[in-house]
Amino acid sequence: MRLAIEHYLAGLVERGELDVLLRNLLISQGYEVLKRARRGEKEYGVDVAALRAEADGLHLYLFQVKSGDLDRNTWDNGPNSVRASLSEALDAPFSSFAKLRDAPFRRHLVTVFNGEMREDVRRTYEGFVEREMRRERDLDIDYWNISTLVGHVEQALLNEGLLPDLDTQLLKKSLAFADVPYYGFAEFKELLSRLLARTPKSARARRRLFATVRLLTRMVGEYARRGNNYRNVLIASEITLLALADWSSTSGSLKIGQEYERQLSDYVDDLARLAERLEPDLKLEHGLAMGGSQEQVEYPLRTFELMGWLSLLVLVSQHLGEWDRADWACNLLTAVITLNPSARRPMLDEHGIEIALAALALAFSGRQTEAAVYASWVLSDLGIRADLERPLPELHNNLDAVLEAFADKRPPEYTDSSSTLITLLFELLLWDKDSDEAIQSFAGKFRQLDLQTWYPPTDYSTRLYRQELTDGFTETGVIITDNRTALLTSVSERHKHFGCADKDPFSEHVSGITRLIACRHFRTPVFPVDWRSWIDNAVGN
């Protein structure tokens, strides 16, 4: 276990990884984290500030974080060196870090790095520490190297029975398989289930539990990332978010907003890393195409999966108030839609999930009309396929049947006589006030189909974050009129009649965005209420 932790820690970069791990570690050990450095803020030489109550009073801990070894260059070369940062932290009043009535009993300056201290800098470092500690009586200066960090992480995981020996084996297996393509994460799910089964009895115990879960998730994600499997990084993060949401819903523990937001922040960082990695390709025409004998199907499948994640990057960033990142992600989403024809060629009826997510991301970014235009592009492609008697999106999401059908060997189990996706697309057209002509041109092309709308079961909140919702109510025989006003009236009346009334406590009290993450992850259709709420806005009612 120790070797696995050391391997994980050694690969972390300073900002966004090692500093995040340190915050989780401190919370799990009972510290109150007061401050973390953000880009553009004056840091006073400190990346993380924390308080801890000890027997003789409050102690203020000021941490600076560096990646790699502490060598001569890291120690004393420029304004961001360890020596300069320590001096700046020494000169700053304690009020820069904590709003306390009285000065803390003792200050601790700790340099944290995931390497070793080189021998050629050790004597200089020790001389600096000795001089400063002679000047100030209530001061400690120390460092945590990778060996110290491994010890702290191991203690945090094993302390108070949070991760007993059996669970340690589950973690080892989770790490070993983390980068395996399409790994089902059975061991990681079981590990989270066992941890969350130990319901914490106090707020402090809950913070420790959440910090431990977050630390484990980042370990699994880092192992996947080092194997270049960014998909598994996101899957692991989603599994944790949904496990926490399910635990909160079933246990009635809804006062977890702050802890849950931290996990959401990790998720959006993982989404952003994937987007940054792919950004050059996303700005190219056909940038997601790879070539190959089955690219006619695989290109759209790849495109829709990425659209789902980019849409969530937009929506979760907005939820967290990170508006610049949301705008950047929305521009990338628009580029994928406009530069890749595959975005207009859904292969499966469940691709309506990604289309709905993309539409919501555009709408919340003030681009409702763009979403309606995108819907018209997809309807145009589907209309051509219908005219040519080519396969339409497969209703039961049978991928094997799709591969055969598009190889001109349509199997008997291929079902495309019904569709929920096409109904969604027509309703998205209503977002644009000037969509009359588009509705008229497409309405007649799909009258031979049984158009449908799915509504969630009334008790959906008990299972939403645990599994795909396979029950509920499916409205069949939906009629699409070629008159926009009549269609609008029809949608409104049907929604009043069939729309779900049950509220989800977790969405209401903790995080509404998680429902959309659950839809993407478990392949549950996006709820009609999520996109229909924009129809009235578009019309001005």
Side-chain angles (χ1 to χ4, degrees):
M1 186 65 189
R2 189 174 181 85
L3 288 175
I5 294 172
E6 183 173 344
H7 179 66
Y8 160 66
L9 293 174
L12 300 182
V13 297
E14 175 182 329
R15 189 57 63 87
E17 294 183 4
L18 190 54
D19 59 343
V20 171
L21 174 131
L22 176 63
R23 293 197 302 275
N24 290 333
L25 197 55
L26 295 174
I27 292 170
S28 72
Q29 293 182 328
Y31 291 79
E32 179 188 355
V33 175
L34 304 170
K35 169 190 181 295
R36 67 184 179 95
R38 296 180 181 273
R39 296 187 187 277
E41 288 184 355
K42 187 171 180 60
E43 302 179 7
Y44 300 102
V46 173
D47 292 302
V48 179
L51 280 176
R52 186 162 72 168
E54 302 189 11
D56 51 9
L58 280 178
H59 286 229
L60 176 64
Y61 288 80
L62 306 175
F63 297 88
Q64 63 165 313
V65 179
K66 300 291 180 184
S67 60
D69 291 339
L70 184 56
D71 54 19
R72 285 188 176 276
N73 185 59
T74 312
W75 167 247
D76 194 11
N77 183 16
N80 293 320
S81 66
V82 171
R83 181 170 187 162
S85 297
L86 286 173
S87 299
E88 190 176 0
L90 285 166
D91 292 338
F94 72 87
S95 58
S96 303
F97 311 106
K99 295 180 180 179
L100 300 176
R101 181 176 299 176
D102 301 311
F105 183 82
R106 196 167 189 83
R107 277 198 305 169
H108 303 260
L109 270 63
V110 185
T111 303
V112 180
F113 50 98
N114 55 347
E116 300 292 349
M117 180 180 287
R118 298 284 183 87
E119 289 303 318
D120 59 355
V121 81
R122 186 179 298 278
R123 181 175 296 178
T124 307
Y125 172 84
E126 290 174 349
F128 173 88
V129 171
E130 186 179 348
R131 285 193 307 273
E132 294 299 333
M133 288 180 63
R134 278 203 307 264
R135 288 173 49 192
E136 189 174 335
R137 186 184 62 182
D138 299 325
L139 173 70
D140 280 328
I141 302 177
D142 200 357
Y143 68 87
W144 293 0
N145 61 9
I146 190 163
S147 298
T148 312
L149 273 174
V150 169
H152 280 293
V153 171
E154 198 169 32
Q155 181 187 26
L157 294 179
L158 302 178
N159 195 24
E160 295 187 10
L162 278 177
L163 204 63
D165 290 342
L166 184 60
D167 292 0
T168 302
Q169 294 301 316
L170 289 172
L171 176 58
K172 287 180 180 178
K173 290 181 180 179
S174 300
L175 297 176
F177 297 125
D179 63 345
V180 175
Y182 297 99
Y183 168 48
F185 287 98
E187 291 81 8
F188 185 54
K189 292 174 183 177
E190 179 64 20
L191 176 60
L192 292 178
S193 176
R194 293 187 185 188
L195 280 170
L196 293 171
R198 304 160 190 158
T199 304
K201 297 180 180 179
S202 66
R204 182 174 179 270
R206 187 187 67 225
R207 286 194 296 271
R208 285 177 55 84
L209 175 62
F210 271 62
T212 301
V213 167
R214 191 179 179 203
L215 176 60
L216 294 173
T217 306
R218 292 190 74 86
M219 287 182 68
V220 172
E222 183 61 24
Y223 270 69
R225 187 178 292 110
R226 290 179 195 175
N228 278 329
N229 194 329
Y230 281 73
R231 184 181 187 275
N232 279 11
V233 176
L234 298 176
I235 295 296
S237 195
E238 288 181 355
I239 287 171
T240 297
L241 283 168
L242 296 171
L244 291 173
D246 184 58
W247 170 83
S248 174
S249 297
T250 55
S251 68
S253 303
L254 298 174
K255 295 181 179 179
I256 62 166
Q258 188 176 24
E259 293 96 332
Y260 194 79
E261 294 281 288
R262 293 192 184 103
Q263 189 64 49
L264 268 178
S265 180
D266 288 349
Y267 177 57
V268 84
D269 285 345
D270 290 334
L271 288 167
R273 285 193 187 98
L274 175 65
E276 288 166 359
R277 182 179 175 86
L278 297 177
E279 185 171 9
D281 293 330
L282 302 185
K283 294 180 177 179
L284 297 175
E285 190 169 6
H286 305 284
L288 294 177
M290 291 185 179
S293 59
Q294 294 183 330
E295 195 67 355
Q296 185 181 9
V297 173
E298 290 180 355
Y299 183 20
L301 295 179
R302 189 182 311 120
T303 303
F304 279 101
E305 182 175 59
L306 183 59
M307 280 173 53
W309 273 322
L310 286 175
S311 301
L312 287 173
L313 176 55
V314 175
L315 294 165
V316 180
S317 296
Q318 291 175 343
H319 172 80
L320 296 174
E322 299 179 11
W323 301 105
D324 290 342
R325 176 181 272 181
D327 289 342
W328 165 72
C330 194
N331 289 333
L332 291 181
L333 174 63
T334 301
V336 168
I337 290 172
T338 55
L339 297 176
N340 291 273
S342 52
R344 309 171 194 181
R345 298 204 305 268
M347 299 285 106
L348 305 168
D349 200 65
E350 71 173 17
H351 281 154
I353 298 169
E354 281 73 29
I355 290 174
L357 290 175
L360 290 172
L362 291 168
F364 279 106
S365 302
R367 306 182 185 184
Q368 296 97 311
T369 302
E370 289 183 35
V373 170
Y374 171 49
S376 72
W377 291 348
V378 180
L379 282 169
S380 177
D381 179 88
L382 295 178
I384 293 171
R385 282 154 67 173
D387 290 341
L388 297 177
E389 298 184 350
R390 296 289 294 160
L392 293 170
E394 211 280 328
L395 180 67
H396 302 301
N397 308 306
N398 185 336
L399 187 55
D400 291 335
V402 170
L403 290 170
E404 289 187 44
F406 280 85
D408 293 325
K409 300 176 183 177
R410 181 182 176 119
E413 64 268 23
Y414 192 99
T415 305
D416 60 355
S417 58
S418 303
S419 175
T420 61
L421 168 60
I422 292 173
T423 314
L424 162 69
L425 292 168
F426 274 102
E427 294 193 14
L428 292 180
L429 285 181
L430 294 173
W431 288 11
D432 181 8
K433 295 179 181 179
D434 300 319
S435 58
D436 299 79
E437 185 176 340
I439 292 171
Q440 290 172 7
S441 64
F442 296 131
K445 290 185 176 292
F446 306 103
R447 285 187 176 141
Q448 77 279 14
L449 301 182
D450 176 18
L451 299 184
Q452 304 176 349
T453 298
W454 174 85
Y455 297 89
T458 54
D459 63 343
Y460 73 86
S461 61
T462 62
R463 293 168 287 136
L464 174 64
Y465 305 111
R466 189 183 312 151
Q467 63 191 55
E468 178 188 359
L469 298 180
T470 55
D471 52 347
F473 171 73
T474 299
E475 177 191 12
T476 61
V478 175
I479 297 174
I480 302 296
T481 66
D482 58 6
N483 179 284
R484 183 175 181 277
T485 303
L487 180 59
L488 180 63
T489 302
S490 169
V491 170
S492 178
E493 290 177 350
R494 284 164 38 228
H495 185 68
K496 289 176 183 176
H497 184 68
F498 296 114
C500 61
D502 186 34
K503 290 185 178 179
D504 169 20
F506 184 83
S507 293
E508 188 174 358
H509 296 287
V510 183
S511 169
I513 198 68
T514 307
R515 186 166 84 185
L516 296 178
I517 297 174
C519 289
R520 196 223 70 80
H521 185 87
F522 292 121
R523 311 312 295 160
T524 295
V526 175
F527 293 9
V529 67
D530 290 320
W531 74 76
R532 286 176 176 172
S533 61
W534 286 90
I535 294 177
D536 286 344
N537 294 340
V539 212
N541 290 344

